[in-house]
Each structure stands twice: as C-alpha cells, then as structure tokens.
Amino acid sequence: MATMKSRISWGARLGLVIGLGLSMMGVSACASSAPPAPPASTGQSSAALSGELQILVSSADASDAAFKDVNTAFQEQYPDVKVVFSSVPNDQYPAAQSSRLTAANVDIVVAQAMVNVPSYATGAESNDAQLAAAGGYVDLTSEPFMQDFNQSVLDSIKFSGKNYSVPTGLSYYSGVYYNKAMFAKYNLSVPTTWSQFVTVCQTLQNAGITPLGIGGKDQWPAGLPETAAVQGVYPDTASKQQAMQGLWTQTLKLTDSDPLKVLQTVQQIYSFADPNFPGIAYADIPAAFAKGTYAMTPDGTWNSPVIASAVNGAFDVGYFPIPTSDNADNNKFLNGKVELQLAVPSNAPNKDAALAWLSFFSQKDTYTKFVAEAGFAPTQPGIDAGAFLNSIASYTSTFLPGWDQIWVPNPNAGQAASEPFNVYDLTPMGKLDAAGAAQQAQQDWAAGF
C-alpha cells in the first residue's frame, strides 16, 4: 500500500519533495522556547467533542475503504464531529502532507518511519523524525490506547525512546500473487530458487502467457521487485545493514558486483512483464490478473482484498516470495514493514478529536474489522489474521524488514541514488541497462559527500 509509499517507502525518492515544508516547520518549532502542548485526554465524552477532524492518508483501495468504515462508526459515537477524510495518491502524498502540515489544517497524518539513524548517517533522519525531534508531533507513548498494541512492534518504531505514531498493521511485499489454476494447467510448482522462478516465467512465455503484471504508470509499485532482489543478495538484516554502512562509508560502490546484481535481477524480472507496463496503472492490474492476462503479479499483502474481489472465486489465488537467490534458504521468508503509521501534529486544530479517533481505532472490535478489510496483518495480540494471511504463515513466521525499512537515504545525493538501487532508470521504466543504471546511481551517490 503505502509503503509507502509507502505506500511505502519508495518514498526515499519522493520524500525529498517534502523537505522544504517540513524544515520550515522544524525551524519554527526550534525557535520557540516553549515545549509542545501536552496531549489532550482521550477520555472525552461524545458531547465534549465537536468540529472537523481532518485526516490525510496515502491512497490504496483496501485501506481507504477500511478507514472510511472506521470514520462512519466514529461519527456515530461522536455525532458532533465531522470527519473530513483525504486520500492522496502515493506519488502526490509527500507534497500534500508538507502543505497541510505547514498550513496547520490537518489532525491525523501518515508519517514516514521515525527511527534513529546509525552514527555514520547522522543528519539523514526522515523528515518526520526531524519534525518529531523539533516537537512537531504529539508524543503518544503514554496514551492508554497504545497499550493495545504489541510492545515489540511499538519498540520497532520508537524514535528517541518515544512513540509518535500508531502502527495500523504489518504488510509483506516481496512476493507475487499467482493463479493456481494456471500453474496447474502448465504443471508448474511454486519456485523456491531463482533458477526455478526463471524457468516458470519462461514456460509461461513459451505458452503465450505474460508471466507478470506490473503497474508502472506512477512508478510505484514497479519498485517492488527491488525488495525481493535485495533479499537475494543480502538475505538477512545484518547483511543489509553492512551494505548500507559500506555505501555510507564509501567502501562499497553501487557498481560493485553485489549491488549490480540487484539491478540485473530487477531487469530480468521486468523482462517477464508486459513490455508496455510503464504505461499501465497499478489500479488496472487486479482486473487483468483476474482475466488471466497475467499468471502472477508482484504486490503487497495489503492488496489481498482487492485481488480477491477482482478474481471473485474464478480461481484460487496463492502468494509466495519471489525467490531471487539460488540458495532456497535465502528465499524462505517475506520482507515486510510496519504499515501506515498515524501521527498527530502538535499544531493540529482538533487534537482532542484526533486522540479520541486513535483511541476508537485501537479498540479491539474496530481494529479487527479494520485489518481484515485493509488486508494488513494485525499489530495487536489475539486477533485472527484471516484466511489469506494464515495461508502464508510459513513465509511470515520470521519477520524480516524490507530493504526500504533499513535503508537511510543521503539527502545530499542525487535522485538516481535515493533508493539507492536505480531501478526506475532500467528499461523499460527508463533507458538504461543494469550497468548504466548502476553507473548513474554511483555518480549521484558520490555527489552527496
């Protein structure tokens, strides 16, 4: 979803857009000697709350629908509050967030991950982390509703020992949905190694079937295969962190063999998609997948409700990690992230209603319905993940954060090195082969020092 980008977080590239607006707010916050206003009590009665509650999120069909249902139920309990819900496409979200935060006309936003960066990358915290450090977000650590969430998840998103956001769920996004009936027709098994995956795709191509449906019109989610490709080269968190440190300390170059292999893998994955996929919208992929135009589609688990609705029982749908290593052990688990993190700006015009909404959202019955509809894995204990997520439990039994959740972009580097793997310049998304894209990325990365 979004992610989030992310929905994700292909926002390393897009997040640069938001910097100016947030830095203006940060300067304003730092210039004041007064501490940020303390959080309002969440124990408000329905009669005590009124006015507009402005919510801004990055868009995905399933989570948008789930949010709208929460809003409807919230307004039934708080009839004097009018929820104004804005859902913005992922590529437009950073600029919209910046504008709304600067204008102080939003009460709940989706924030980028707020984590402390390694010492070698000091100064490269996300814009939202910088804003939190400047007092621009409400500290939610002691809010009673935070106790409803798994402490391990809360610990993973703490910034300077505090929680500034509510984790709406977990998503996994290094895999593909696949048409089980089509796999059976061509005697295909779920691949567990890169060579097996290539064979599956070639078999489908030889049968006149496009193996992969990818939406590239708005760039994202054409970057999703990057997460899987990184996993094949750097199969655990430690190796990913070592690669990041090597790049930041300039002992590793993006043109070296391992980083280059990431781009080569993505380029081959692109070769199994429709040659015109850069012109295909993400929202059009589920219907085409349902029609049998594609045998598989790379997507996040957050989109499972949309996929299921499009297929509507026409065939059984499965999901497996894209196996980008020839060592099957490196491909056993999906990479994931903490989903849409909801934060309250310190300058929110209706802070009381915002905190009441987060409290309402966190209630077990509300939250259970939300994650089921949004397609997220729950971040609260004792909640059934649902049939789809239960079916891929073997791939999620060990949580591996995706590359974009570990990577810290250098704000001084050029655009081609923001991720830092330059997947968007690969043909057909761009005009370069893997070697050329790596060279451009290295040039832009070196320019940041």
Side-chain angles (χ1 to χ4, degrees):
M1 136 140 56
T3 192
M4 29 162 95
K5 324 319 37 338
S6 356
R7 199 152 280 274
I8 126 202
S9 267
W10 317 114
R13 173 185 297 251
L14 299 173
L16 300 176
V17 180
I18 200 172
L20 178 59
L22 292 185
S23 64
M24 289 173 63
M25 292 188 68
V27 169
S28 174
C30 291
S32 172
S33 59
S41 169
T42 58
Q44 299 285 332
S45 68
S46 60
L49 294 174
S50 61
E52 287 189 346
L53 173 62
Q54 295 277 350
I55 301 176
L56 176 69
V57 304
S58 50
S59 178
D61 289 346
S63 58
D64 285 355
F67 277 127
K68 289 174 182 177
D69 284 349
V70 174
N71 294 339
T72 298
F74 177 81
Q75 287 185 143
E76 290 176 356
Q77 183 165 326
Y78 297 94
D80 293 329
V81 177
K82 179 183 178 181
V83 178
V84 181
F85 177 74
S86 301
S87 174
V88 179
N90 291 285
D91 60 328
Q92 300 172 25
Y93 182 78
Q97 185 201 34
S98 173
S99 175
R100 297 286 297 274
L101 287 171
T102 302
N105 65 357
V106 66
D107 301 295
I108 297 175
V109 298
V110 171
Q112 291 174 285
M114 304 179 207
V115 294
N116 294 98
V117 301
S119 58
Y120 56 77
T122 298
E125 289 88 354
S126 72
N127 293 307
D128 284 312
Q130 294 178 42
L131 186 58
Y137 281 123
V138 172
D139 177 8
L140 303 176
T141 311
S142 299
E143 290 294 333
F145 57 77
M146 297 298 281
Q147 299 176 16
D148 295 330
F149 296 90
N150 288 322
Q151 189 60 48
S152 60
V153 176
L154 295 180
D155 288 344
S156 74
I157 60 172
K158 278 186 175 179
F159 176 68
S160 297
K162 298 178 180 179
N163 281 115
Y164 292 94
S165 61
V166 168
T168 59
L170 298 175
S171 284
Y172 303 91
Y173 49 98
S174 60
V176 292
Y177 294 90
Y178 73 102
N179 182 328
K180 289 187 176 182
M182 193 173 290
F183 266 50
K185 179 179 179 179
Y186 295 103
N187 298 313
L188 300 174
S189 300
V190 170
T192 60
T193 66
W194 174 242
S195 59
Q196 290 174 4
F197 181 75
V198 170
T199 297
V200 165
C201 291
Q202 291 175 338
T203 300
L204 290 164
Q205 283 183 323
N206 291 339
I209 303 294
T210 301
L212 299 173
I214 300 176
K217 189 173 182 179
D218 301 310
Q219 290 198 332
W220 192 92
L224 282 179
E226 175 189 359
T227 301
V230 173
Q231 178 65 18
V233 179
Y234 305 106
D236 54 31
T237 298
S239 61
K240 293 180 178 69
Q241 291 171 334
Q242 289 168 5
M244 181 171 70
Q245 183 173 359
L247 289 169
W248 269 90
T249 58
Q250 300 189 77
T251 58
L252 177 69
K253 293 183 178 181
L254 288 164
T255 50
D256 288 347
S257 59
D258 282 348
L260 177 60
K261 187 176 181 180
V262 172
L263 288 179
Q264 291 169 333
T265 300
V266 174
Q267 190 165 50
Q268 190 160 5
I269 290 173
Y270 284 174
S271 75
F272 296 131
D274 186 320
N276 299 313
F277 82 82
I280 300 174
Y282 174 51
D284 293 336
I285 295 296
F289 174 68
K291 292 178 182 178
T293 305
Y294 313 118
M296 298 174 282
T297 180
D299 205 343
T301 55
W302 60 76
N303 219 29
S304 59
V306 176
I307 297 288
S309 177
V311 172
N312 195 28
F315 53 83
D316 288 337
V317 177
Y319 191 84
F320 63 84
I322 302 175
T324 56
S325 169
D326 268 320
N327 180 347
D329 286 342
N330 294 340
N331 307 317
K332 291 194 302 184
F333 302 113
L334 290 162
N335 284 196
K337 66 171 182 172
V338 178
E339 261 297 352
L340 306 175
Q341 298 180 38
L342 302 177
V344 179
S346 295
N347 63 358
N350 201 345
K351 198 179 302 180
D352 285 351
L355 292 171
W357 188 96
L358 290 176
S359 179
F360 181 83
F361 171 85
S362 304
Q363 294 172 10
K364 186 172 183 178
D365 57 343
T366 305
Y367 184 73
T368 299
K369 293 175 183 177
F370 174 84
V371 292
E373 191 168 2
F376 297 164
T379 54
Q380 292 186 2
I383 294 178
D384 185 5
F388 170 72
L389 288 168
N390 288 337
S391 74
I392 60 171
S394 62
Y395 300 139
T396 62
S397 58
T398 295
F399 181 76
L400 293 178
W403 168 250
D404 58 303
Q405 303 302 295
I406 295 171
W407 171 245
V408 176
N410 183 346
N412 299 316
Q415 186 179 43
S418 61
E419 305 225 354
F421 304 106
N422 190 16
V423 298
Y424 294 109
D425 279 337
L426 288 173
T427 55
M429 288 296 293
K431 298 181 178 180
L432 301 176
D433 62 9
Q439 184 62 46
Q440 182 62 58
Q442 178 56 34
Q443 180 179 320
D444 279 15
W445 180 249
F449 294 90

